[in-house]
Amino acid sequence: MTKVSPEFGYEVQMPAVSADVSFATNQFPTYKLGPDNQILEEVKVDKDGPSLKEVVLQETSLLTEQHKRLSVRDLASKFDKNLTAAAKLSDNAKLRDVVSLDGHVLLKKLRDALEFLRGQMAGQHKEDMGKAISMVEALAVKLTQQEGELIQEKYEVKRLATYLKQASEDAKKLVNLERSFACAEIESARAVVQRIGEALDEQEKILQTSGNQELTELMEEIQQARRIGLLHQPSKVMDMEHELRALRLQIHEKFTFSLKLQKQLTMSKWAEANKLSMYELIGPETLGSIIRVQPRSAEALDISKCSVQWYRLSSESNRRELISGANKSTYAPEPFDVGRILLVDITSNSQKAAVTTSGPVDPAAGLGTYVEMLSWKSNTEFSVVISQMNGRNYSSHSIHLFHVGKMRTKLCRGWITKARDSYSTSMQLCGFRGGGTSAAKSLFWQARKGQSFVLVFDSERDRNAAIVLARRYALDCNVVLAGPDDLASLYI
């Protein structure tokens, strides 16, 4: 550096400082110069930059928009390019840092030289030197401010480089994962295509083999038909067809006649057994009546001293079906007994006797028409009187209404509902089997487990119609209504 002597009488022309320049501070920063003109002052980092969360959100939004039009492989290449750019920015920041340090050293030396000159000058030159020193200090402040901005930029570049490096690694992992998934799907697709091809080849072979076999059989049938057509005239074929029809009709008539003979034999056998029995059944053997057991001879014991059990017999076989609860000397047939033979076992001491009805129970006259008329309604009401409730006699004899609907049954009196329930497997409905003079008008109804009623209708027709309607509606709901222990017999 050139040394200026105060003896020379020239004025130092200082560059003018613009009035528009504003500085953050008017103090000259203090530096300590170490060996080789190194600045030893610790640089303070500005921590008021944007947060990492904001940077991550901004980058995430950009990546989401790019993901709509870029594949995973392109995304990975973009990350690699950004990572390279960030590394270059970091290198540039290092170079600028070195340049900044050199500028501080030069300003420090310039200020020391100006201070030295100002000490040797006097008058107007000394003031000019003071202005020059102020300008140098202003430049040092500006340089310090730029250095802070450079440090903040360097900090952001490092964070961005770290984030991009991590994102590049994640993208590479994602590419490898997608590649492995794609390879696995390709191998699976190849295996499926191979299996389909093998199955198609096998099916084609089978079709060829079966086609040849069917073609051979068809040709043989055609040849046989031709031989038959040549051997027989059309008139003879028609005569043979008429003979076959006549034989079929004869076979059907003989089969029907054999069934009637079997029924008659069964009836005659039970009639012979009834003649030998000491007991007999009295009463119309039709639906809506009451059948009673009474002694036929004086040798028979009183029926009240014997145990009684009623059964159903199929008209085609002698198989017995127990009627649960029918253990009284009287029994009122219900709709399920129509077309069945009723048998009753009488046991006294060690003796046992059996007696049956003379034939199957006949249906009630006009019941089918009455039920069809009622089925047009969505809900049918019957006037009833409660005889028993939950196995105990019911003291009140007030009139109730028994509703039989397409989905449920209900028993009520005015606005008071005694019971109401939808058709279910726990519901039971059958004729009353406990005997008595009103058995033909009585119905046993269990709405649910633990709640049962014995209802007495106005007539036998209403009682039987209620049973038929309820069972029909329940069957529409996939529920079979029967009496206690009758469910197994209904499926036979």
Side-chain angles (χ1 to χ4, degrees), residues 186-201:
I186 291 172
E187 292 297 330
S188 178
R190 287 177 180 173
V192 171
V193 170
Q194 185 177 1
R195 289 198 300 270
I196 293 174
E198 294 176 356
L200 288 176
D201 294 339

Side-chain angles (χ1 to χ4, degrees), residues 246-261:
L247 288 174
R248 289 172 181 171
L249 290 174
Q250 292 179 5
I251 291 172
H252 181 69
E253 291 176 356
K254 289 182 179 180
F255 178 72
T256 305
F257 183 70
S258 65
L259 288 178
K260 291 181 179 179
L261 287 178

Side-chain angles (χ1 to χ4, degrees), residues 159-173:
R159 286 200 305 178
L160 181 60
T162 304
Y163 173 73
L164 290 176
K165 183 177 180 181
Q166 182 65 32
S168 177
E169 293 177 357
D170 295 341
K172 290 180 180 179
K173 291 180 181 179

Side-chain angles (χ1 to χ4, degrees), residues 19 42-43 46 60 62 81 93 132 157 300 309 322 350 393 457 461 487:
E42 183 179 359
V43 181
D46 187 9
T60 303
L62 293 175
K81 292 180 181 179
V157 168
Q309 180 60 55
L322 176 68
S350 59
N393 294 331
F457 289 73
R461 187 180 70 167
L487 190 59

Side-chain angles (χ1 to χ4, degrees), residues 256-479:
T256 305
F257 183 70
S258 65
L259 288 178
K260 291 181 179 179
L261 287 178
Q262 289 179 2
K263 292 181 180 179
Q264 291 178 0
L265 287 174
T266 304
M267 297 298 298
S268 62
K269 183 180 71 172
W270 285 114
E272 291 294 331
N274 290 338
K275 290 179 180 179
L276 299 176
S277 178
M278 293 183 294
Y279 298 90
E280 62 179 352
L281 299 178
I282 60 172
E285 298 176 355
T286 58
L287 183 62
S289 63
I290 296 178
I291 303 175
R292 301 177 183 274
V293 182
Q294 69 176 12
R296 174 181 290 179
S297 62
E299 298 177 357
L301 293 177
D302 187 5
I303 195 66
S304 61
K305 299 179 181 179
C306 302
S307 60
V308 178
Q309 180 60 55
W310 292 80
Y311 297 89
R312 297 186 187 98
L313 293 180
S314 176
S315 58
E316 290 82 7
S317 63
N318 298 332
R319 185 177 54 188
R320 295 185 178 188
E321 296 177 6
L322 176 68
I323 304 176
S324 178
N327 50 17
K328 302 295 182 180
S329 59
T330 59
Y331 178 73
E334 63 170 77
F336 190 67
D337 297 325
V338 175
R340 307 287 188 92
I341 299 173
L342 297 179
L343 179 144
V344 57
D345 278 343
I346 303 102
T347 305
S348 60
N349 297 331
S350 59
Q351 298 179 355
K352 186 175 182 180
V355 61
T356 64
T357 56
S358 59
V361 176
D362 296 326
L367 179 62
T369 306
Y370 182 56
V371 170
E372 291 298 328
M373 182 184 67
L374 295 178
S375 63
W376 287 97
K377 303 178 183 179
S378 60
N379 189 10
T380 306
E381 298 179 353
F382 298 96
S383 298
V384 296
V385 175
I386 300 177
S387 175
Q388 294 181 8
M389 185 169 64
N390 297 329
R392 298 181 180 179
N393 294 331
Y394 194 71
S395 58
S396 176
H397 296 284
S398 56
I399 303 299
H400 290 70
L401 290 179
F402 183 61
H403 299 259
V404 179
K406 294 185 180 296
M407 301 299 296
R408 63 184 181 182
T409 54
K410 182 176 69 173
L411 178 65
C412 63
R413 179 188 175 189
W415 296 97
I416 303 174
T417 300
K418 290 282 186 180
R420 177 178 58 189
D421 205 349
S422 302
Y423 297 111
S424 62
T425 55
S426 61
M427 182 179 291
Q428 295 179 0
L429 186 74
C430 64
F432 180 59
R433 301 168 181 176
T437 56
S438 61
K441 301 179 182 180
S442 301
L443 174 147
F444 173 79
W445 176 49
Q446 177 181 296
R448 62 176 65 91
K449 291 183 179 180
Q451 186 181 32
S452 61
F453 300 90
V454 175
L455 308 178
V456 181
F457 289 73
D458 293 338
S459 63
E460 293 84 356
R461 187 180 70 167
D462 287 346
R463 173 256 203 178
N464 295 325
I467 295 175
V468 174
L469 275 177
R471 287 179 176 172
R472 179 182 296 183
Y473 295 152
L475 194 60
D476 293 339
C477 299
N478 296 324
V479 176

